[in-house]
Amino acid sequence: PGVLVVTPLRLEDGSTVLVNRGHLPSYRLDRATRKEVPTWVRVRGVLEEGEIPNLVGKYARLKNRPDKKQYLYLLADELAENANARNHEECAQALVTAIDVLYEDDFKAGYRRQLPFTMKHKEDYLLFWADEHTHFNYAMQWFGMGTLFMVMTFYKFVEVYRWRF
């Protein structure tokens, strides 16, 4: 249990980008357990449009509630409403899913601080959802179902043929 943390990141020119910082466990929700110093950071990530809400969107019971800052789906346009972004239209286009965050102070000091968030890794984006093992399993599943359907159809034709003659 926990939450995904999406934070507006202010750039040097004053514009804002939404950054999905990752999963924060429920025991770290209290700000006292995760001290953050406002400083310059370098963020490496993947630019994404956000999630696709379920197909029954307007009829679903579970919806994003921007008025209470509760979101079930990461929709950039709804997240941008509460970000107080000067560039609201650009900010509502996409969000950055962080894969690496480096604080400027840490860079100068030569060490990395431990982050309270569990972020996606670069390797997660490099893996194709249907690698050779998954693809082989799907191919065998469909081949098996096709063969079974063909045998059942052939059996039915033979059975009906026997009734007539």
Side-chain angles (χ1 to χ4, degrees):
V3 296
L4 277 178
V5 177
V6 178
T7 307
L9 176 68
R10 306 254 186 243
L11 303 176
E12 288 183 84
D13 64 354
S15 59
T16 305
V17 175
L18 293 174
V19 178
N20 178 1
R21 298 177 69 183
H23 182 264
L24 183 66
S26 56
Y27 65 89
R28 301 289 302 260
L29 289 177
D30 184 21
R31 287 192 184 267
T33 64
R34 54 182 171 93
K35 301 213 184 309
E36 292 191 60
V37 180
T39 182
W40 291 103
V41 295
R42 294 180 187 186
V43 177
R44 285 192 297 167
V46 176
L47 190 64
E48 298 179 319
E49 291 183 41
E51 296 176 334
I52 300 172
N54 65 18
L55 298 175
V56 293
K58 61 182 178 181
Y59 304 111
R61 289 186 173 175
L62 301 174
K63 298 180 183 176
N64 284 347
R65 299 167 73 185
D67 55 331
K68 295 186 178 184
K69 296 186 179 180
Q70 295 175 347
Y71 298 92
L72 296 172
Y73 308 108
L74 294 179
L75 302 175
D77 56 343
E78 291 183 7
L79 290 167
E81 288 178 23
N82 285 332
N84 296 327
R86 287 178 22 196
N87 58 331
H88 179 75
E89 289 193 19
E90 291 86 11
C91 191
Q93 297 295 318
L95 58 111
V96 176
T97 300
I99 58 174
D100 187 28
V101 175
L102 180 63
Y103 288 82
E104 198 70 29
D105 299 340
D106 295 351
F107 182 71
K108 291 176 183 173
Y111 71 93
R112 295 183 76 94
R113 78 179 68 181
Q114 287 294 100
L115 299 173
F117 307 102
T118 305
M119 294 184 274
K120 282 188 175 182
H121 300 286
K122 184 178 179 182
E123 294 80 22
D124 295 337
Y125 290 99
L126 298 176
L127 288 176
F128 186 60
W129 66 271
D131 61 356
E132 61 271 5
H133 304 293
T134 307
H135 184 71
F136 178 74
N137 290 340
Y138 285 148
M140 291 307 297
Q141 174 186 349
W142 284 106
F143 178 76
M145 286 192 298
T147 304
L148 182 66
F149 184 72
M150 183 182 69
V151 168
M152 289 176 9
T153 303
F154 180 73
Y155 174 77
K156 200 62 173 171
F157 279 133
V158 169
E159 186 178 299
V160 169
Y161 181 76
R162 286 183 182 166
W163 290 346
R164 289 187 179 178
F165 303 105

